[in-house]
Amino acid sequence: MPPDGWNGAIPSSRPGTVAEPSHGPDTTPPRGVSISSDPTDRPPSGGPSADGVPAAPDPGPGGVPSAADQPPVAAEPADGLPPAGADGAGVPLAGLHVEEAPAADRSGAQPAGDQGEPADGHHDEPDDHHAAGVSLVAKVRAVLRVRDFRKLWLSMSLSSFGDWLGLLAITATATSLVDGFAGQNYALGAVLLFRLLPAILLGPLAGAFADRFDRRKTMVVSDVLRFALFASIPIVDELVWLFVAQFLIEAISLFWIPAKEAAVPNMLRKDQLEPANQLSLVTTYGFTPVLAALVFAVLTTVGDRLGTTVPSLDESKLSLYLNALTFLVAAVVIWNLPSISGRRAAGTQVTGESFLHSLRAGFSFAGHTPLVRGLVVGITGAFVAAGVVIATGQAFASSVGGGEAAYGLLFGAVFIGLGLGISLGPSIARDLSRERLFGVAIVGAGVGVGLLAWTFTLWIALLLVVVMGFFAGIAYLAGFTLLGTEVDDALRGRTFALVQSLVRASLIVSLAVVPFGVGLLGRTSVDVGSVELAVTGERVMLFVAGLLAVAVGVLAYRQMDDGRPVPLVADVVTALRRDTTARRRLAGGGVFIAFEGGEGAGKSTQTRRLQEWLTEEGLVARTTREPGGTPLGAKIRAIVLDPASAGLSPRSEALLYAADRAQHVHDVLRPALDAGEVVITDRFVDSSLAYQGAGRTIPMDDVRSISRWATQGLQPDLTVLLDLPPEVGLARARGRAAADRLESESLEFHQRVRGTFRALAEAQPDRYLVLDARRSPDELAAAIRTRVSDLLQGLPLQQLPQHARVPRTRRHGDHVVQTGSTPQLHP
Ligand SMILES: Nc1ncnc2c1ncn2[C@@H]1O[C@H](COP(=O)(O)OP(=O)(O)OP(=O)(O)O)[C@@H](O)[C@H]1O
Ligand SMILES: Cc1cn([C@H]2C[C@H](O)[C@@H](COP(=O)(O)O)O2)c(=O)[nH]c1=O
C-alpha cells in the first residue's frame, strides 16, 4: 500500500514535444518564391552613432569570452540557461563545439584549456543523453533552491519515511498480536484492508473538500492527528485499536494529500513542476522505503537489546513511536510555511457550488473526457495488475527457489525499477507525447509481467521485475503528470481523489481475489518436449495480470491518442533516437532551418546563399526572416527597430516579437513546411530568448512560454548559430547602415545575447551547428552546405518542376558561384 507521498504527482508543464504540422498532408502547390531579407528596409537612422563601442575583453579562441572576463553567474535556473538578468556569457560552455576560426584569426588567442575544455583542445560534444542527465540534476538543484519547496519536500520525505516504517511496524505488530498461521495472515490482510478502505469510502468526498480548506491548517491538523494515532497504537497495544487507528490515519491522509498537491504549484515556476514531481516520486518510492527497511532492521537489533531492559519496548513499538514523531516534525515544519495556505488564506472566494453538485461534476468530467477516461482506465488496470504481482509475490519467490530472501530481492527490484523509470523515463522518451508514452509504458510493464510468469531463474526474474518497475514508473509519472497538466485546477482535486479511490479499490480486489484463484488453479505440470513445465496458480495469475496490463495499455492508448497519422512504432523509435528530422518526415513535412546570431554575424548573407544552393539542387527552398516575414510582421519590424520607439517596454517588445512570430508561423512557416519545402529563417525563437530574455532580463520561462504559444511548438530541425564577438558584429552592421534600436544597446547587452545563443546551442548540440562567424563567407557557406546536405539526405522534399530548374552550366554564370566543397543532394 503506498504511503502518503504515493501520488506526489504535481501538476507539471509538459515537456516540449516535436512540432507536428497542424495541417494534413501536402495540398499546397509548390512554391519557389523567395522572401529575401532586405537590409535596406531598416527604420530611419536616428539612434546613437556607431562610435563609442567600448573596447571588449579578449574573447579567446572562437570568440569564447575567457573565464576571467566573465561576470559572476546568477543562481542557476532549472533549465541551465542564464537566469533573467544574468550575463549569458557567464554560462558554462564546456560542451559547446564552435567550428574553429582560421589560423590567422586565432593568433594570440588563449589556450583552449582556459575555457574549461580538455587540455588537448579536443572538443568532446556531450551526447544528448548525457546533456539530458546533467540538465535533470540542474533542474532538481534549482527546485531545491526554492526555500519553501525544500522545506515542504523535507517534511514530505520525513512523513514518507515514517509511513514506510509504520507499514513495516504495523504488519509486524498485527502478526505479533495473534497466534497461529491462519490468524496471522488474516490480521495481515485486515491491516491492508483497513488501510485501503477509507479511500474507497471517503476518497471522492476528500477530493471535493480539497479546495475548501486552508491547506496549511489542513496539513498541520492532519499531521498532528496522525502523530497521535500512530503513537497510540503501541500504547493501546490492541488489535482492534490497530485496525481502527489504521482506518482513521488513512481517512485523515485523504485530506492531507490533495492539500499538499495543491500547495506545491504555488511555490514553483511552472517548468519546475515536473522535476519536483520526479524528485517527490523518487524520494517516496526509491529512497525512503529502502531507508525505512534499513532503519527497521537496525531497530530490530536495538529493540531486542532494549526489550531486555524495557520489556514493553520492541522494534515495532520503537518504529511506531519514531513514525509518530516524523508526523509531529512535519506538522511543525508546515506550520512555519505560510505560503502553503493557498487561496483560502489569500481571501479568494470559493464558488457557492453545492457539495453534492461538485462531487457529481467531478465524476461526470472524468467519465466524459477521453483523456481522463484513458488515464483512469490505464491507472486502474495497472494497479489491478500490480495487486496481482503483490499477491503472488511470496509464492512466486519460493517457486524460483529463493524463499524469503528471494522475496526481499524481488521486492527491492520493483523499487529499483520504479526509481529508474521515474528519474530517467522523461529524458529517455523526451520527444514522445505523454499520452503515447503512458499507454506504451503500461504495455511494456504488462509484457514484463507476462514474461515473468514463465521465468524459473531468479536473476532473470529480478531483471524482468526491474524492467516491469521501470515501465510502471514511467507510466506512473506520465499518468499523474498528465492529470496535473490536462485537468483544470478546479477539478484536479476530485480527479486525483477519484483515481486514488480506484487505485485502492483495484488493489483490494486483486489482493482479495488472487489467493482464491491461485488456490483454485493449484499446481500441475505440462510436458513441453523433454522438459516438464510447472504450471502453478501464481504463474497463471501473473500471466493473466500481464495480459490485463497489455490490454488496458492498448485501451488507454486508444482513448488518449491525439489522432496523429504517425505510426506508433516509428514514433517511438525516432523519439528514442532523438531524430527530429525523421519525425517531421513521418508527419510528411519539410525541413526547417533557422539562422541565429548577433548583429552583423552574416545571417542574411548565409540564408541567401543556402537558399540559392538548394534551389540549384532542384529543391523548393525559401528564405524568410523575423521580424518582418509577413506584411503584418513588416509593420511590427518597423516599430521594434525604430530608434524613435524608445519608450517601448520590455514586455511590449517581447509581445510584439511574439506577435510577429505567430503571424509568421501561421502565414509562412507552417504552410511551407506542410508543403514539404526547405524553409530557412533569419532568426526565430532563440533570438527572443537571447534578446528579450537575457538582453532585457525578462524571465526566460516567460519568453519561452509566449514563444511556444506563438509557434504552437514549432522548432527548427537545425539551427545554424553564427557566433561572433558583438563588437565585431556591431562594427560590421554599423558599417552597413545606421544603428537601429536594438543595435544601439550596450555592449554588455549584446554580450548577454551572445552568451545565451551559445548556451542554447550547448544544451542541444545535435540540433545546432555553431560556426565562428569570423570565417570567410565562402568557408561558412561550405560548412553549412555540408551539414544541411546530411540533414536532407533521403527526405522526400518538394522539388522544383523541370522547367523551373537552372541548368548547372548556366548557374555559375547567373548566380553567386558556390565555392568550397559542395555536396551533391539526392532529393
Ligand atoms: N563572413 C563574413 N565576414 C565578413 N563580413 C561579412 C561576413 N558575412 C557577412 N559580412 C558582412 O557583414 C555585414 C552584415 O552581414 P549580414 O547582413 O549578412 O549579417 P546579419 O547577421 O544578417 O546582420 P543583422 O542581424 O544585423 O541583420 C554585411 O556588410 C556583410 O557583407
Ligand atoms: C526575432 C527577434 C529579433 N530581435 C532583434 C534582433 C535584431 O536586433 C533585430 C532584428 O534585426 P535583423 O537585422 O533582422 O537581425 O531584432 C529580437 O530582439 N527578438 C526577436 O525575437
Side-chain angles (χ1 to χ4, degrees), residues 37-39 41-42 596-600 603-604 625-628 637 640-641 653-654 656-658 660-661 682-692 696 703 707 733 736 740-744 749-750 753 757:
S37 179
D38 178 5
D41 66 347
R42 289 170 174 270
E596 297 281 8
E599 313 296 333
K603 300 179 295 300
S604 313
R625 69 172 174 183
E626 289 190 5
R637 181 182 175 90
V640 288
L641 298 190
E653 182 184 290
L656 283 169
Y657 278 114
D660 167 76
R661 184 162 300 132
D682 181 343
R683 297 194 184 277
F684 196 56
V685 172
D686 286 7
S687 282
S688 283
L689 291 166
Y691 282 82
Q692 280 65 56
R696 299 286 186 222
V703 180
S707 300
R736 183 190 50 190
D740 64 34
R741 202 173 60 88
L742 275 295
E743 284 169 359
S744 308
F749 176 98
H750 289 288
V753 166
F757 277 133

Side-chain angles (χ1 to χ4, degrees), residues 28-36 591 593 607 611 614-615 619-624 629 664 667-669 671-673 675 677-681:
T28 319
R31 290 157 211 259
V33 188
S34 161
I35 308 168
S36 61
V591 170
I593 301 168
T607 50
Q611 190 250 354
L614 290 169
T615 308
L619 290 174
V620 180
R622 68 164 71 203
T623 59
T624 179
H664 190 212
D667 288 0
V668 179
L669 301 180
L673 288 169
E677 294 182 20
V678 180
V679 183
I680 309 156
T681 183

